[in-house]
């Protein structure tokens, strides 16, 4: 992607409110919970210091502090939130938890708080994130849960979003040593996963997957290490107008991964992996038809992008697929519905199944 294409990614995306019909969907599928602390409550910090990484570079996170009389309540409420996110919401685990740090990110659209939670019994720790609820981001989280190999744990209450931490090595850090630091076998496996990840983003319209917006997850399997690629940022779900923004292969930050694909996979293998991923997504759509239909019904009523971006995207998708149904779309929900129908129809036609629209 050239610099002019790169500029097409919105520097500042508006926050879209969670409408009552979407809130009802979230309640039906246990994504809603009464929580004791809101995003705006955490903004009342009294000070903070910059957080640096092990190399002494600024991470763009600030470790914030609260007045002593408020800190006690903040800690208690955050422990309760963790208990709701990871358990039954009871207070039984609260005495064994400690809030080691509250960090605030000054970079990006969502400006999240990152909460470091430690179990005092075994000294293990994990993170959770508290953000301003944004409908398009929540659609992205839900679609990731339904259509990817990964499960997503999150909660929404009014204007606050709680997200579980997604573990892995950030894509930009994983590749910073260069391609030569990995064996040919590892490069081929990561290249395969990258092709599938790229296809997944295109089909479900998840945009802006620059290398720091996804992680590489290594898993030990007998005598080898397998790698998966997981998205960790869902702000650009069904928002941008340019189709290329939904194609990680065209983002300049991903150039080394694209090089890895071209150096290790033949064109026919790339096409095979694309077909495999589209077929897998089609099967997930068919298996989860009821829930996906309900989610799409919410998106059909919702406004999560501008008319200008909608017009641009449906034009780009028509040029890409030659499916005239994209021309008739009037909202992002209709565009995504048409994309799903396109993938499902192709899968069923190839396998001789009866076509059923989502």
């Amino acid at each position: 992607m050239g610099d002019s294409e790169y500029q097409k990614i919105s520097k500042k995306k508006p926050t879209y409110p969670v409408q009552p019909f979407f809130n009802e969907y979230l309640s039906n599928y246990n994504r809603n919970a009464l929580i004791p602390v809101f995003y705006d409550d955490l903004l009342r910090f009294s000070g903070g210091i910059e957080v640096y990484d092990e190399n002494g570079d600024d991470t763009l996170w600030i470790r914030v502090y609260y007045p002593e009389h408020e800190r006690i309540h903040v800690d208690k409420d955050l422990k309760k939130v963790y208990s709701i996110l990871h358990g039954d919401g009871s207070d039984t685990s609260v005495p064994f938890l400690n809030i080691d740090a509250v960090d605030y990110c000054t970079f990006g659209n969502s400006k999240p708080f990152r909460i470091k939670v430690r179990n005092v019994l075994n000294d293990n720790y994990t993170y959770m994130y508290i953000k301003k609820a944004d409908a398009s981001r929540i659609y992205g989280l839900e679609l990731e849960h339904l259509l990817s190999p990964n499960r997503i744990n999150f909660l929404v209450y009014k204007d606050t979003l709680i997200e579980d931490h997604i573990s892995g090595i950030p894509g930009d850090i994983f590749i910073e040593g260069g391609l030569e630091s990995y064996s040919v076998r590892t490069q081929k496996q990561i290249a395969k996963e990258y092709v599938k990840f790229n296809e997944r983003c295109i089909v479900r319209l998840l945009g802006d997957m620059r290398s720091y917006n996804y992680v590489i997850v290594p898993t030990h399997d007998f005598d080898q290490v397998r790698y998966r690629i997981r998205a960790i940022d869902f702000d650009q779900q069904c928002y941008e107008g340019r189709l290329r923004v939904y194609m990680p292969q065209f983002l300049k930050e991903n150039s080394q991964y694209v090089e890895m694909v071209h150096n290790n996979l033949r064109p026919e293998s790339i096409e095979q992996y694309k077909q495999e991923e589209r077929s897998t997504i089609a099967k997930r759509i068919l298996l989860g038809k009821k829930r996906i239909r309900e989610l799409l019904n919410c998106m059909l009523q919702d406004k999560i992008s501008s008319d200008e971006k909608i017009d641009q995207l449906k034009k780009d998708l028509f040029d890409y697929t030659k499916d005239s149904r994209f021309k008739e779309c009037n909202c992002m929900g209709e565009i995504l519905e048409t994309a799903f129908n396109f993938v499902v129809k192709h899968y069923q036609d190839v396998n001789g199944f009866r076509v059923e629209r989502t």
Side-chain angles (χ1 to χ4, degrees):
M1 176 180 286
D3 289 341
S4 60
E5 277 298 336
Y6 178 79
Q7 299 289 336
K8 296 291 184 180
I9 299 177
S10 300
K11 299 293 186 189
K12 178 64 177 175
K13 183 178 90 52
T15 298
Y16 292 96
V18 178
Q19 300 293 345
F21 49 80
F22 190 24
N23 204 52
E24 182 179 354
Y25 167 92
L26 294 169
S27 295
N28 290 340
Y29 289 100
N30 300 312
R31 297 298 200 186
N32 256 330
L34 182 64
I35 58 175
V37 64
F38 293 96
Y39 177 87
D40 287 347
D41 294 331
L42 297 181
L43 288 174
R44 297 199 295 266
F45 53 85
S46 57
I49 59 173
E50 290 83 1
V51 177
Y52 297 94
D53 63 18
E54 58 186 13
N55 297 318
D57 297 323
D58 190 349
T59 63
L60 302 180
W61 288 85
I62 298 173
R63 184 145 299 165
V64 299
Y65 300 97
Y66 298 86
E68 187 60 33
H69 66 281
E70 287 192 19
R71 178 72 197 209
I72 296 172
H73 298 293
V74 168
D75 279 11
K76 179 182 176 182
D77 290 343
L78 290 175
K79 292 175 188 178
K80 181 68 173 179
V81 169
Y82 180 86
S83 175
I84 295 170
L85 184 65
H86 288 278
D88 58 6
S90 67
D91 293 333
T92 55
S93 63
V94 169
F96 310 113
L97 301 175
N98 191 70
I99 305 301
D100 279 8
V102 178
D103 298 334
Y104 177 62
C105 184
T106 58
F107 176 74
N109 286 307
S110 58
K111 290 187 168 53
F113 284 93
R114 180 179 63 194
I115 317 300
K116 184 178 180 180
V117 185
R118 179 168 53 90
N119 185 313
V120 298
L121 296 178
N122 54 32
D123 222 30
N124 288 334
Y125 66 88
T126 186
Y127 296 94
M128 63 180 179
Y129 298 84
I130 299 181
K131 307 176 181 181
K132 201 79 169 176
D134 171 40
S136 63
R137 180 180 181 88
I138 298 169
Y139 283 122
L141 289 164
E142 188 70 359
L143 286 165
E144 178 76 3
H145 182 78
L146 297 173
L147 297 180
S148 81
N150 312 302
R151 302 281 70 84
I152 298 289
N153 188 19
F154 70 92
L155 293 171
V156 181
Y157 183 62
K158 295 187 177 179
D159 62 350
T160 298
L161 169 65
I162 313 292
E163 286 183 35
D164 200 5
H165 176 65
I166 298 174
S167 299
I169 306 167
D172 55 338
I173 294 175
F174 184 86
I175 205 70
E176 65 184 8
L179 302 180
E180 62 278 1
S181 60
Y182 299 101
S183 68
V184 173
R185 182 179 182 179
T186 296
Q187 288 190 45
K188 287 183 176 180
Q189 199 216 81
I190 296 173
K192 172 185 174 180
E193 290 301 313
Y194 195 81
V195 170
K196 292 192 170 191
F197 174 71
N198 191 81
E199 199 65 18
R200 209 152 56 235
C201 293
I202 297 170
V203 171
R204 46 78 65 92
L205 297 179
L206 176 61
D208 193 19
M209 280 297 104
R210 287 175 274 186
S211 56
Y212 48 79
N213 286 334
Y214 55 84
V215 293
I216 313 297
V217 185
T219 304
H220 290 268
D221 181 22
F222 293 102
D223 60 343
Q224 62 179 318
V225 179
R226 295 190 175 275
Y227 297 88
R228 291 185 299 120
I229 301 178
R230 293 192 62 176
I232 59 172
D233 192 317
F234 303 92
D235 279 344
Q236 298 284 346
Q237 175 66 52
C238 291
Y239 174 71
E240 293 290 356
R242 299 287 296 180
L243 180 58
R244 285 194 168 197
V245 175
Y246 300 100
M247 297 175 163
Q249 69 195 77
F250 290 112
L251 298 172
K252 63 182 181 180
E253 289 85 354
N254 298 330
S255 59
Q256 290 194 69
Y257 288 98
V258 175
E259 182 183 351
M260 187 181 291
V261 170
H262 291 309
N263 288 346
N264 290 278
L265 300 180
R266 299 169 64 178
E268 51 267 37
S269 294
I270 294 174
E271 187 57 36
Q272 174 196 341
Y273 296 143
K274 287 182 178 180
Q275 293 286 356
E276 287 179 3
E277 190 60 27
R278 285 197 291 267
S279 295
T280 299
I281 293 172
K283 285 185 276 190
R284 289 192 179 114
I285 292 172
L286 292 169
L287 287 171
K289 184 186 302 182
K290 179 179 181 294
R291 185 165 174 174
I292 291 171
R293 178 68 269 165
E294 291 178 20
L295 183 65
L296 286 173
N297 284 344
C298 292
M299 296 185 76
L300 291 172
Q301 303 174 68
D302 220 335
K303 183 176 178 59
I304 53 175
S305 188
S306 67
D307 292 341
E308 180 185 15
K309 293 181 187 297
I310 291 167
D311 289 341
Q312 178 67 60
L313 184 57
K314 67 183 186 181
K315 177 184 180 299
D316 283 3
L317 278 166
F318 169 72
D319 293 340
Y320 184 66
T321 64
K322 306 306 177 188
D323 188 335
S324 60
R325 290 175 297 176
F326 283 109
K327 289 183 173 181
E328 302 167 7
C329 297
N330 295 306
C331 66
M332 282 296 183
E334 289 185 10
I335 292 176
L336 190 63
E337 180 182 45
T338 303
F340 286 176
N341 285 332
F342 179 86
V343 170
V344 169
K345 182 179 185 303
H346 181 268
Y347 168 75
Q348 293 181 317
D349 285 349
V350 168
N351 291 278
F353 297 147
R354 177 169 56 91
V355 176
E356 294 182 11
R357 300 294 171 83
T358 57

